[in-house]
Amino acid sequence: MKKNRKDGSSGDMENRDKDLKPNRNKLKKNMDRMGGRGGLSLAAFANAKTRNDNYNPCIIKKQKEFYRNAKFVQKYKKLLNQQSQSDSPSTSKFPLEGEKDADSSAFNKKSKKERQSLNDLYEKTKEEKEKAKAERAAEIQAKAETEAKRKTQRQKMLKKTKSGQPVMKYRIERILETLQNEAR
């Protein structure tokens, strides 16, 4: 015979069903998370064990180098392909050994003029670079001189007497110099 409780529920069966319902949900979520009833498959377990999530800069560096080298190889192959297409004998710009005509002599004259203009251009750029270098050296020297002067003035201004008072001689000289410069 079933006993009635104070809260109006009748029996242990209802209480057991209420207690098992949240546990069933937890079990179901756990099973879904673990990959079904059988847990992890053998392959998934092996991959989970061998996968390394640690940060390894050496491996990262090797991978970057590998991809960079692959990029360079691709560029090199592309350039070779372009050169082989542009160097095909049907589109050759230069005449063969046996063929000499007016075009070849005109070509030689043009190349001599081009060489002279290139030499002139080279000389001009070289002179410009030398001038720029000399200007930079002069600027650096002037900067060093002003820096040395400023340093000595600073040392003079920071000098103190035995009692710790500033030496007024250098301060008065500095004021005098500025006044004379303004008067000019």
Side-chain angles (χ1 to χ4, degrees):
M1 185 169 172
K2 293 181 183 177
K3 294 181 180 179
N4 287 338
R5 294 185 171 202
K6 293 178 183 178
D7 60 346
S9 62
S10 60
D12 293 330
M13 290 299 279
E14 287 180 17
N15 287 339
R16 213 182 309 158
D17 285 344
K18 287 180 184 178
D19 290 340
L20 288 179
K21 217 170 201 182
N23 286 341
R24 283 185 189 155
N25 287 340
K26 283 184 184 177
L27 282 173
K28 187 177 179 186
K29 285 181 182 176
N30 250 354
M31 287 299 185
D32 289 342
R33 185 175 55 85
M34 295 298 287
R37 278 206 174 266
L40 291 176
S41 67
L42 186 60
F45 179 76
N47 286 340
K49 282 292 192 181
T50 59
R51 198 174 95 215
N52 190 0
D53 290 338
N54 295 337
Y55 171 74
N56 192 345
C58 185
I59 293 174
I60 293 170
K61 185 178 178 183
K62 284 182 182 178
Q63 287 174 344
K64 283 182 179 178
E65 186 177 358
F66 174 77
Y67 288 120
R68 188 176 49 188
N69 288 341
K71 186 169 66 170
F72 288 141
V73 168
Q74 281 183 338
K75 285 183 178 181
Y76 176 72
K77 285 181 180 179
K78 202 180 273 187
L79 281 174
L80 281 179
N81 194 8
Q82 288 175 354
Q83 285 180 352
S84 66
Q85 288 176 355
S86 66
D87 290 341
S88 63
S90 63
T91 61
S92 179
K93 296 177 182 178
F94 301 106
L96 296 174
E97 291 176 16
E99 300 175 359
K100 286 192 174 181
D101 47 350
D103 292 338
S104 64
S105 61
F107 179 76
N108 287 337
K109 288 179 185 176
K110 284 182 182 178
S111 63
K112 286 180 185 177
K113 288 180 182 176
E114 287 177 6
R115 277 189 226 135
Q116 288 176 351
S117 64
L118 286 175
N119 286 337
D120 293 339
L121 183 64
Y122 172 74
E123 292 295 327
K124 286 180 184 178
T125 54
K126 190 175 180 182
E127 289 175 5
E128 289 173 1
K129 285 181 182 179
E130 289 174 0
K131 285 180 184 177
K133 192 174 183 180
E135 287 175 4
R136 269 188 260 125
E139 287 176 9
I140 290 171
Q141 188 177 2
K143 204 176 210 179
E145 290 173 359
T146 55
E147 194 67 32
K149 186 178 178 183
R150 189 179 299 148
K151 190 175 182 182
T152 56
Q153 284 180 348
R154 183 175 183 272
Q155 287 175 348
K156 287 180 182 178
M157 293 294 273
L158 291 175
K159 281 191 177 180
K160 306 230 184 256
T161 61
K162 290 179 185 176
S163 61
Q165 297 295 318
V167 177
M168 294 307 291
K169 173 184 171 184
Y170 302 114
R171 293 179 181 256
I172 292 171
E173 283 179 3
R174 177 79 174 135
I175 293 170
L176 236 172
E177 284 178 16
T178 54
L179 289 174
Q180 288 174 348
N181 287 341
E182 288 177 6
R184 290 182 192 167

